[in-house]
Amino acid sequence: MDNVKVLVTGGTGYIGSHTVVELQNAGFEVIIVDNLSNSTIESIARIEHITGIKPHFENIDCVDYVAMDDMFSKYEGIKAIIHFAASKAVGESVEKPIMYYRNNVNGLMNILDLMPIHGIRNIVFSSSCTVYGQPDVLPVTEDAPIKPATSPYGNTKQICEEIIRDVIHSGAEMNSILLRYFNPIGAHPSAEIGELPVGIPSNLVPFITQTAIGLREKLSVFGDDYNTSDGSCIRDYINVVDLAKAHVLAVKRMLENKQDVALECFNIGTGKGTSVLELISAFKKVTGVDLPYQIVGRRSGDIEQVWADSTKANSVLGWKAESTIEETLLSAWRWEQKLRASLIEK
Ligand code: UD1
């Protein structure tokens, strides 16, 4: 796929930057569009440091139709889009629903509107296992029913999936792959790129690494009275590099016209559930660092347990989660250590 142009919206962010690295390693020419609302421009230099290639970068908000139109004209010949750019904090979405609907839904609609104008047929959409809510059957397959969303953020993922479905059903010459991520964690093995939460992290692994390094006093485990083996919630934690590779396979599948239908959907998870307490003890074991924690009450809106059946991604997409949870936690820890050391230097 040498020099085939791929647009990555949100390409300086956590999953986006890892995906840009894998795309460039596979020979694609990457154009990043990002408004830097939840990432920094430093990502570009870090991507270049890892791959030796500087991706094109445009500081644009996908909600800005005219700027997006101009960008597509400037980089004529884009063959596929991976659309990550979106707001993703569940709690914030409850407080600022309009901001979430505007960013996440309008951004996608602009892109879908502009694709045929610029002759682009292929789009990978960043979705989430949040669409399944608490599944009735575990592991959850792509055929499981979509449950009512419990937050505006979750609702935007469902709405965006439906918009893509409706556009394709309308007869538009468009192919799409929806990737439903489980819980992405970890960092690139170089520790050049990783998750960079703004303020107090709401996700588990950044909170763990920040506690381990001494930035937070202790971790709160949200509930130990769930109906699970140790009482804490269970998730499917997927390595971010493995997840990034799923995007490269999805783009190739569309470009090589291998899709069975114009709209396909894949679960991207390991197929294995890990409880919060298991994750904490795995982190302590691989890093040797003590992690102070306390059990507190349940977090409102949390799902008790969910993990993926990723058979479809394994057999159809040819994708497989390769890293162990230990390797992944170690990568998150190395990233946190390198990040703090670099901040102290500054
Ligand atoms: C959350 C979102 C999900 C979104 C994903 C993005 C909710 C309900 N869901 O997933 O829609 O796609 O982030 O990454 O917010 N935990 C603690 N202590 C902490 C933080 C988390 O015990 O300080 C527990 C949670 O209760 C949960 C697990 O760790 O059981 C994972 O939490 P988190 O990393 O926030 O991810 P999700 O809630 O699964």
Side-chain angles (χ1 to χ4, degrees):
M1 291 291 169
D2 278 349
N3 303 110
V4 171
K5 283 186 196 149
V6 176
L7 170 69
V8 181
T9 72
T12 53
Y14 174 43
I15 307 171
S17 59
H18 288 81
T19 301
V20 171
V21 166
E22 297 308 318
L23 285 167
Q24 293 194 157
N25 285 343
F28 289 98
E29 179 178 343
V30 177
I31 298 114
I32 294 177
V33 159
D34 203 304
N35 66 359
L36 302 177
S37 59
N38 195 25
S39 60
T40 66
I41 190 70
E42 245 185 83
S43 288
I44 302 293
R46 288 168 175 268
I47 290 167
E48 187 180 5
H49 191 258
I50 298 171
T51 62
I53 304 161
K54 189 174 181 181
H56 304 283
F57 173 73
E58 298 291 335
N59 185 341
I60 295 175
D61 192 325
C62 295
V63 170
D64 185 340
Y65 184 95
V66 174
M68 288 297 281
D69 193 12
D70 291 346
M71 181 277 304
F72 281 122
S73 301
K74 178 174 171 184
Y75 297 99
E76 209 185 319
I78 289 171
K79 294 289 181 228
I81 301 171
I82 305 180
H83 182 47
F84 291 106
S87 305
K88 61 167 187 179
V90 175
E92 185 186 47
S93 80
V94 176
E95 282 155 31
K96 301 175 185 167
I98 294 174
M99 178 186 134
Y100 271 67
Y101 288 111
R102 180 174 292 128
N103 275 351
N104 296 6
V105 180
N106 286 4
L108 174 72
M109 290 212 292
N110 282 347
I111 290 168
L112 294 175
D113 216 5
L114 288 163
M115 282 173 69
I117 297 172
H118 293 274
I120 305 168
R121 297 178 66 129
N122 304 303
I123 180 164
V124 177
F125 179 68
S126 209
S127 191
S128 165
C129 69
T130 193
V131 301
Y132 301 120
Q134 176 59 65
D136 302 321
V137 180
L138 287 167
V140 63
T141 70
E142 291 82 355
D143 297 328
I146 302 300
K147 296 277 176 76
T150 54
S151 71
Y153 158 77
N155 208 19
T156 66
K157 291 296 170 193
Q158 297 194 2
I159 291 170
C160 286
E161 284 200 359
E162 282 168 17
I163 291 172
I164 294 173
R165 193 166 293 123
D166 287 345
V167 169
I168 288 181
H169 284 170
S170 76
E173 287 194 358
M174 199 178 282
N175 305 311
S176 184
I177 293 184
L178 313 174
L179 296 181
R180 291 179 179 156
Y181 317 151
F182 283 67
N183 286 57
I185 63 164
H188 193 267
S190 64
E192 282 290 319
I193 51 174
E195 196 168 1
L196 196 62
V198 176
I200 301 172
S202 52
N203 291 120
L204 180 60
V205 170
F207 206 104
I208 287 180
T209 56
Q210 289 196 6
T211 306
I213 208 135
L215 275 180
R216 314 268 158 223
E217 195 193 332
K218 58 183 157 206
L219 168 75
S220 294
V221 173
F222 298 137
D224 69 347
D225 57 352
Y226 285 98
N227 186 23
T228 59
S229 54
D230 62 22
S232 63
C233 291
I234 295 177
R235 297 286 183 275
D236 185 335
Y237 295 96
I238 174 75
N239 179 286
V240 69
V241 176
D242 285 341
L243 172 59
K245 288 177 179 167
H247 294 79
V248 178
L249 290 169
V251 166
K252 285 186 175 166
R253 182 170 171 81
M254 290 191 297
L255 294 180
E256 290 165 359
N257 295 315
K258 287 190 175 152
Q259 284 184 286
D260 298 322
V261 284
L263 177 65
E264 294 177 323
C265 165
F266 297 98
N267 283 344
I268 306 296
T270 64
K272 188 175 176 297
T274 305
S275 76
V276 176
L277 293 173
E278 283 168 349
L279 197 84
I280 293 171
S281 67
F283 182 84
K284 284 184 182 175
K285 195 172 150 213
V286 291
T287 62
V289 180
D290 186 38
L291 189 74
Y293 74 88
Q294 61 179 353
I295 308 287
V296 299
R298 294 181 176 194
R299 180 171 70 177
S300 139
D302 263 345
I303 299 300
E304 180 173 89
Q305 45 188 325
V306 62
W307 64 94
D309 182 327
S310 35
T311 311
K312 189 178 169 196
N314 301 158
S315 58
V316 179
L317 204 54
W319 174 85
K320 205 170 180 315
E322 282 165 3
S323 312
T324 64
I325 192 116
E326 287 81 13
E327 288 163 347
T328 305
L329 288 171
L330 202 53
S331 72
W333 177 230
R334 291 210 177 107
W335 157 249
E336 184 73 57
Q337 288 174 302
K338 194 164 170 181
L339 179 69
R340 295 306 148 193
S342 74
L343 291 178
I344 290 165
E345 263 172 36
K346 283 181 189 167

